[in-house]
Amino acid sequence: MTVLVTGGAGYIGSHMVWKLLDAGEDVVVVDRLSTGFRWAIPSAARFYLGDAADEALLQTIFAENDIEAIIHFAGSSIVPASIEDPLGYYENNTGKTRTLMSAAIRAGIRHFVFSSTAAVYGSQPADEPVKESAPLLPETPYGQSKLMSELMLRDAAAAYDFRYVALRYFNVAGADPQGRAGQSTDGATHLVKVACEAALGRRRQVEIYGTDYPTHDGTGVRDYIHVSDLVDAHLMALRHLRSGGRPLVANCGYGVGYSVLDVLNMVMRVHGRAFRIHMAPRRPGDTASVVADATLAHRELGWTPRYNCMETIVRSSLEWELQLADRSSFDASGLRKVFAAPSL
Ligand SMILES: NC(=O)c1ccc[n+]([C@@H]2O[C@H](COP(=O)([O-])OP(=O)(O)OC[C@H]3O[C@@H](n4cnc5c(N)ncnc54)[C@H](O)[C@@H]3O)[C@@H](O)[C@H]2O)c1
Ligand SMILES: O=c1ccn([C@@H]2O[C@H](COP(=O)(O)OP(=O)(O)O[C@H]3O[C@H](CO)[C@@H](O)[C@H](O)[C@H]3O)[C@@H](O)[C@H]2O)c(=O)[nH]1
């Protein structure tokens, strides 16, 4: 029995592949390498280069492997980019998820774990920490594209022999404590990565997008979850489905909010050196604050975070950034480039 990981060359997907292999699972990856890297996929996983919604490719994968479950990370994940290219986001996050689900159901694959997001709650969560039962009012195409996929999953599970867990991730950060994986995207926009790059002199400064939010210091507040705890929740979700568990939508976060300034100060403290910050206007699509109530994931999946400490998250991110200069000398096909990665 084999687990198919879509987007397994990406940031979260590559951590998932390591986690599954560590747990003794047989793993196949499909990834088109749009933002992921060939070198990020452990050699023990079988790799198919291509689109997660390429039906001919999926048929080949299903014919050559005994796929029992799909963990679907492949997608587009940048909130502001979805405002500039809404149809691209609906296509990659919703349309392609539909095609993949349909192929899976036709092939008799009954277990599906889906990457959803806190962005489904929109900018005015009724209460914080936010529960899964809060109003779903996504204000960006990104949040909307993921919510539409959640609804397709719900309806498919009601109609077919098919069960799923959709995990609503809050802000994922950090890197594998063993240093095998991390966030490697060029020109990443995620705050922790941006701040670590600035600390290491790879960016001139960090822009703070908005200082007039109704938060403790005026900057945006998020619930940062260590990527290793997140992929652990996926493994628990897989076990939940295998043991006959009901379809589930669950938040993944720690229930603790950090502002942009809190994060920047932590990176400076852990690294031991200051970097330049610049106060900038609010970024389109951003919300003031979003913090998870993850009671459901704890209760239904038995999920217990191990790295719920901002300092640990930052330390592992900095360690990965230091390694990345070496790793960046590989191109997307896994071949070593002849030049060093330019600094940002
Ligand atoms: N990073 C976060 O904080 C966060 C939070 C909530 C949800 N998510 C979701 O988690 C998933 C993974 O995010 P990530 O941060 O690892 O992003 P990522 O960009 O690092 O990884 C996505 C991977 O999917 C691949 N991919 C994209 N579209 C594809 C397609 N159509 N077919 C095949 N491969 C494709 C990319 O090449 C890449 O390897 C995404 O669906 C994202 O929306 C991420
Ligand atoms: O250079 C930067 C980058 C970010 N921020 C702020 O930092 C916070 C976090 O931003 P970012 O790291 O870009 O994450 P989000 O936009 O919150 O989105 C992430 O977290 C969501 C879940 O909450 C996921 O769905 C998305 O895929 C993922 O990109 C926000 O207040 C941003 O305005 C800055 O001030 N400067």
Side-chain angles (χ1 to χ4, degrees), residues 217-236:
D217 59 18
T219 67
V221 168
R222 297 288 184 277
D223 185 342
Y224 293 90
I225 172 174
H226 195 291
V227 63
S228 297
D229 279 336
L230 180 73
V231 297
D232 210 35
H234 289 68
L235 192 60
M236 307 301 276

Side-chain angles (χ1 to χ4, degrees), residues 7 9-13 31-36 50-52 73-77 92 96 115-117 142 146 169-172 190:
Y11 169 47
I12 305 171
D31 198 301
R32 66 180 186 185
L33 301 181
S34 44
T35 54
D51 202 289
F73 294 101
S76 307
S77 68
N92 206 31
K96 292 190 176 185
S115 298
S116 192
T117 167
Y142 172 67
K146 291 285 185 173
Y169 317 162
F170 284 60
N171 287 57
V172 189
H190 298 88

Side-chain angles (χ1 to χ4, degrees), residues 77 117 142 171 189-191 207-209 222 260 283 286:
S77 68
T117 167
Y142 172 67
N171 287 57
T189 56
H190 298 88
L191 180 66
E207 310 263 338
I208 299 184
Y209 299 132
R222 297 288 184 277
V260 175
R283 192 175 65 171
D286 270 351

